[in-house]
Amino acid sequence: MLMNKFYYSILTLLLISFSGYAQVTTNPEIVVASEPVTITVDVTGTGLQDYTDDVWLWTWIKEGNATGDAPTNVNPATAAQDAAKMTRSNEDPNIYSITLTLSEFYNVDAADMDVVGLLLKGRDWSNGQTPDYSIDISEPGFSVKITQPSTFPLFLNEGDNLNIEATAAEEASLSLLVNGNEVASTIGSILSYTLEAGVPGKYVVTLNGTSGEEEASDSFTFLVREESPTASRPEGVIPGINYHENDNTKATLCLQAPDKQSVYLLGDFNNWEIDPDYQMNKDGEFYWLEITGLTPNKEYVFQYLVDESIKIGDPYADKIVDPANDPYISNDTYPDLITYPDNNVISGIATVLQTGQTPYNWEITDFDKPASEDLVIYELLIRDFDIRHDYQGVLNHIDYLAGLGINAIELMPIMEFDGNLSWGYNPAFFLASDKYYGSKNELKRFIDECHKRGIAVILDMVLNHTHEKNPIAQLYWDYDNNRPAADNPWLNPEAKHPYNVFNDFNHESSYTKAFVDTVNNYWVNEYKFDGYRFDLTKGFTQNFNTDVNAWSRYDQSRIDLLTRMTDKIWANDPSTYVIFEHLAENSEELVLANYGIMLWGNMNHNYNQITMGYAEESDLSWAYYGTRNWNDPNLISYMESHDEERMMFKNINYGNAEGDYNTRELKEAVDRTTAAAAFYYLIPGPKMLWQFGELGYDINIDFNGRTGEKPIPWDNSGAGLDYNLDDDRTDLYDGFAKIISLKNDYGVFRSDNVTMFGGNTLIKELLIENDTDTDSPASVDEMDVYVVGNFGVSETSIAGHFTHTGAWFDYFSGKQLDVASTEQAVVLKPGDFKIYTDFRISEEVITSVQDAVSNDAQWGFYPNPVLDRLQLKTDGLNNYSVKILDINGREYLSEENLQENAWLDVHTLKKGIYIIRISNSNHTFAQKFVKN
């Protein structure tokens, strides 16, 4: 079998080079799958050095007609893995061995195995492990093998001596050639030769053997070093992949690698060979090379080989190939996904370049963003939103979201993160969209479709930290301590704040600042994202403090870092939303808010207290920016976010009760959540809704692990929760939609004249006054709003806070309330609430179809959803009327004197949820429908 040792597979070669190479030897040296072999591994310098517990072999077929894990691969190790338990040497506790016949061990045909990968591990992954190694498998019969050198890639200096050892399965005629010239030969089963390295360049060493009529060969490649050529970068070349605007056969790659000595390009374009022609030019701390002869629109996989040992992808690439996770991405989500190269050179994640890409054709190029104070944001995790777990899955429900009244979607992180099933807060490649959610153009189409509906799209951006698979982490890594090295230009060796996860960025570093600015500019420019929600911005500090309270206090250096970043974002696009998850003391948040930055405000506990019926710590006043002394409505307080336990779960499991009234009953829990929403959404300022809060999602946050996959409310396969078929839950959706619609439609909800009553009691009142001083508003522009709620568990009479006497109107029923005194009492049942306006804003608001109309007439319509026309089913009925209303009762279409089974043209309606009313003098039929 011809085996090129230059392709010797060490999947984590970079680990080996820094932590000491763990020697893997076999006896016999030429391994045949159908014959016994003893595998010996020296774990010195690995995660198993000086390990005292049992150690197991974890192995897989890397190449051949058969692939996959050995049957003994069980984690954590159990009796099922006894056959893979290693034997520790009595002489050296860091040396382990095992004897087996590989074809029997795998239970596959020996002819189907070409290369076997292996590592050693403790009982489970947390106990430590070695890097990955591999063993070449020879065919039965005559074969030859070069046994030394065994560590690759191999670089020598001019004049170095290299000892070469070779063996044959039987006595044979052996010859050794260097670049085609014979340098040694012998008759026997062993050949030894000491080679003196020549001038810089590439050398191929070949062993040929002949035994009778049988021939075999083996080879490896080495390079004699040459200093990196120095050359200035062409104008305009920046770190990453630089495409040539007028020549799709070229690309210039550039890597910033301070204090590194050499970089080689490896990829499909050079057959993954380490070649002097692909040694990159050095320009200070930048390495660059123009590659030519590329086929336009063809995808090429590539890596950088840095300092002869570190293999990384490009940190600025917009697409990666990941051997561990790509196989689990369906063709429906990402059609024709490029496969991981089938060779023994590549190791770990690689990146992709593609010239001549067809640009996405944007349909919306001038999107008019909602004002920041008017935002109603829907925080969304694509993975758990629809069974498809991709952008199309969300688009399948986009009209559902539009009908709710939201005007922004905030996507939890979608840049390439480690694994497929993550929340996304472990990013590794910051300019690559994660393929588990779909292709780059599918993400663009998603944003385009949202913009068509007036919905902004905000990206959850993680710049506090990064995963260790990020190339800028791997370039400078301390393997002894498993953390960024002290000389890493971008990352801190140890986090500068408590509760850090993964690897902490050093935001004082000029390298990090440049990286941050590049990332922030990219997603707005390339994908037309409308803004960012920045995760854990309190972590941007470099003032190390393990005390959480001290970490939250005023930090001017942190303010300077964050405002610098924000200035760069706004210099690129002044309309970009900037939202921080900061959660620091108000003294610092005040400065940021007054700078124009929106900030999260966690009010989950307070709102959940009132929905459960508990007065303690239920004060809602902190949900209003004015109580924080901020100048502008830049507070995004929230009832729920992805980080908190679901309110409905706590309602149903921990709610209060009295007599026959029990907040744990779903209907009561829904009503109370709707009441809480009235106080939440109508407080002026931007708002946020965590996905499925509008349906009362009640699955524990720790179900399947905190960040694990959660059941989906709807699922055509029958595996969903069927929330969409539950009247109580759809009533909650309707209630949210009506309240959000009220907020969206009337200017009074931008007023800064807000008074909140109730404190830590279960009687809550919210008074919002317009900027005029009138007791008889002539228009909605002069309207006052008074919201009152009873979050107790018994009926209560509440002394009112009306701004004036006279006519007030119940928003939901439209009924008039004649107020004789500004303190006129309002009697409310437990969990009940009222929204009063002093201007009649609707003559016909529907609280629910069932409550508002009689459906005893046998009439109907189809299809539902509808695109252009509705077919009415009114057998035997003539001279009837039809009205189409939105879910707040606003009339969009009215037809009179229709005849039996008429058609109704609805193509002019915007997409969303509507109600159709069919009526005559005796009956009224009403039902919701969706307009697509």
Side-chain angles (χ1 to χ4, degrees), residues 847-862:
T847 57
S848 71
V849 172
Q850 291 76 17
D851 292 341
V853 299
S854 167
N855 281 336
D856 56 349
Q858 297 302 307
W859 305 333
F861 64 95
Y862 67 89

Side-chain angles (χ1 to χ4, degrees), residues 6-48:
F6 182 75
Y7 291 160
Y8 187 86
S9 176
I10 301 175
L11 291 181
T12 50
L13 186 59
L14 61 95
L15 289 171
I16 295 169
S17 66
F18 280 95
S19 59
Y21 181 72
Q23 183 71 41
V24 178
T25 58
T26 63
N27 185 16
E29 292 178 312
I30 297 177
V31 179
V32 177
S34 59
E35 299 174 4
V37 61
T38 298
I39 302 171
T40 301
V41 183
D42 184 346
V43 301
T44 303
T46 76
L48 288 178

Side-chain angles (χ1 to χ4, degrees), residues 19 171 187 237 253 270 303 327 338 452 620 680 735 740 775 831:
S19 59
E171 187 170 292
I187 302 295
V237 169
L253 303 183
N270 64 0
Q303 287 184 320
I338 188 171
K452 288 180 188 178
L620 303 182
Y680 171 66
I740 292 171
D775 291 349

Side-chain angles (χ1 to χ4, degrees), residues 596-758:
I597 296 164
M598 289 178 279
L599 294 106
W600 269 23
N602 188 349
M603 295 294 295
N604 169 260
H605 176 72
N606 305 60
Y607 279 102
N608 216 166
Q609 284 292 93
I610 62 173
T611 59
M612 290 190 294
Y614 300 112
E616 297 83 2
E617 299 176 340
S618 70
D619 188 359
L620 303 182
S621 61
W622 204 237
Y624 174 54
Y625 73 93
T627 62
R628 304 186 182 211
N629 298 318
W630 296 6
N631 293 335
D632 301 302
N634 286 324
L635 174 65
I636 306 178
S637 63
Y638 50 87
M639 296 198 294
E640 284 184 331
S641 78
H642 65 269
D643 276 329
E644 283 79 42
E645 181 58 270
R646 289 289 193 168
M647 288 176 63
M648 194 58 70
F649 174 82
K650 293 179 71 174
N651 292 344
I652 291 173
N653 287 276
Y654 309 116
N656 199 359
E658 182 177 300
D660 294 335
Y661 183 82
N662 190 343
T663 66
R664 300 187 187 188
E665 297 292 334
L666 179 61
K667 186 179 187 312
E668 305 300 346
V670 162
D671 290 344
R672 299 177 70 89
T673 303
T674 307
F679 285 88
Y680 171 66
Y681 288 105
L682 300 185
I683 294 173
K687 302 299 172 189
M688 186 186 74
L689 168 62
W690 168 224
Q691 70 181 25
F692 309 138
E694 75 282 2
L695 292 174
Y697 195 85
D698 57 5
I699 303 298
N700 189 317
I701 193 173
D702 293 321
F703 176 88
N704 195 30
R706 184 177 183 86
T707 62
E709 289 182 284
K710 300 297 189 289
I712 293 171
W714 41 64
D715 182 355
N716 292 335
S717 70
L721 299 172
D722 290 336
Y723 282 0
N724 52 314
L725 305 178
D726 187 313
D727 287 343
D728 288 327
R729 296 185 187 278
T730 57
D731 282 349
L732 182 59
Y733 171 96
D734 289 343
F736 272 41
K738 296 181 181 87
I739 294 166
I740 292 171
S741 177
L742 180 63
K743 171 187 172 56
N744 289 342
D745 290 348
Y746 301 102
V748 66
F749 299 105
R750 299 179 185 87
S751 171
D752 58 5
N753 192 354
V754 176
T755 309
M756 302 183 73
F757 306 91

Side-chain angles (χ1 to χ4, degrees), residues 88-238:
R88 183 181 283 114
S89 168
N90 291 328
E91 288 77 24
D92 186 339
N94 284 318
I95 294 178
Y96 296 84
S97 63
I98 190 170
T99 300
L100 44 79
T101 300
L102 288 171
S103 60
E104 296 176 359
F105 192 74
Y106 282 94
N107 193 28
V108 300
D109 192 319
D112 292 334
M113 306 172 66
D114 293 339
V115 179
V116 169
L118 64 95
L119 59 83
L120 304 189
K121 73 177 188 68
R123 186 170 299 277
D124 62 40
W125 297 115
S126 65
N127 296 134
Q129 66 186 79
T130 68
D132 298 350
Y133 312 110
S134 64
I135 297 174
D136 298 331
I137 308 300
S138 297
E139 297 175 357
F142 178 65
S143 59
V144 296
K145 181 177 183 178
I146 298 172
T147 58
Q148 292 293 333
S150 61
T151 304
F152 297 91
L154 181 59
F155 291 85
L156 301 174
N157 292 318
E158 186 175 352
D160 284 351
N161 289 330
L162 176 65
N163 294 322
I164 300 174
E165 301 287 339
T167 186
E170 58 192 61
E171 187 170 292
S173 174
L174 302 176
S175 65
L176 191 71
L177 296 84
V178 178
N179 285 352
N181 300 312
E182 185 176 271
V183 295
S185 63
T186 189
I187 302 295
S189 60
I190 296 175
L191 184 150
S192 299
Y193 179 73
T194 299
L195 179 151
E196 182 178 343
V199 297
K202 177 182 176 182
Y203 294 81
V204 179
V205 178
T206 304
L207 171 69
N208 292 326
T210 304
S211 176
E213 295 183 355
E214 292 188 277
E215 295 181 349
S217 65
D218 194 9
S219 66
F220 71 89
T221 302
F222 71 89
L223 268 68
V224 176
R225 294 183 180 92
E226 184 172 13
E227 286 190 7
S228 297
T230 58
S232 298
R233 285 175 291 161
E235 185 178 356
V237 169
I238 61 175

Side-chain angles (χ1 to χ4, degrees), residues 275-318:
D275 191 315
D277 289 341
Y278 286 85
Q279 184 173 11
M280 300 182 76
N281 302 299
K282 191 175 190 299
D283 178 10
E285 61 187 27
F286 298 92
Y287 289 84
W288 67 274
L289 187 69
E290 179 183 277
I291 51 178
T292 60
L294 300 173
T295 301
N297 206 40
K298 178 181 177 180
E299 291 186 313
Y300 294 86
V301 180
F302 73 97
Q303 287 184 320
Y304 300 109
L305 176 64
V306 182
D307 282 357
E308 304 174 359
S309 60
I310 306 171
K311 292 180 184 177
I312 60 170
D314 192 301
Y316 294 98
D318 65 0

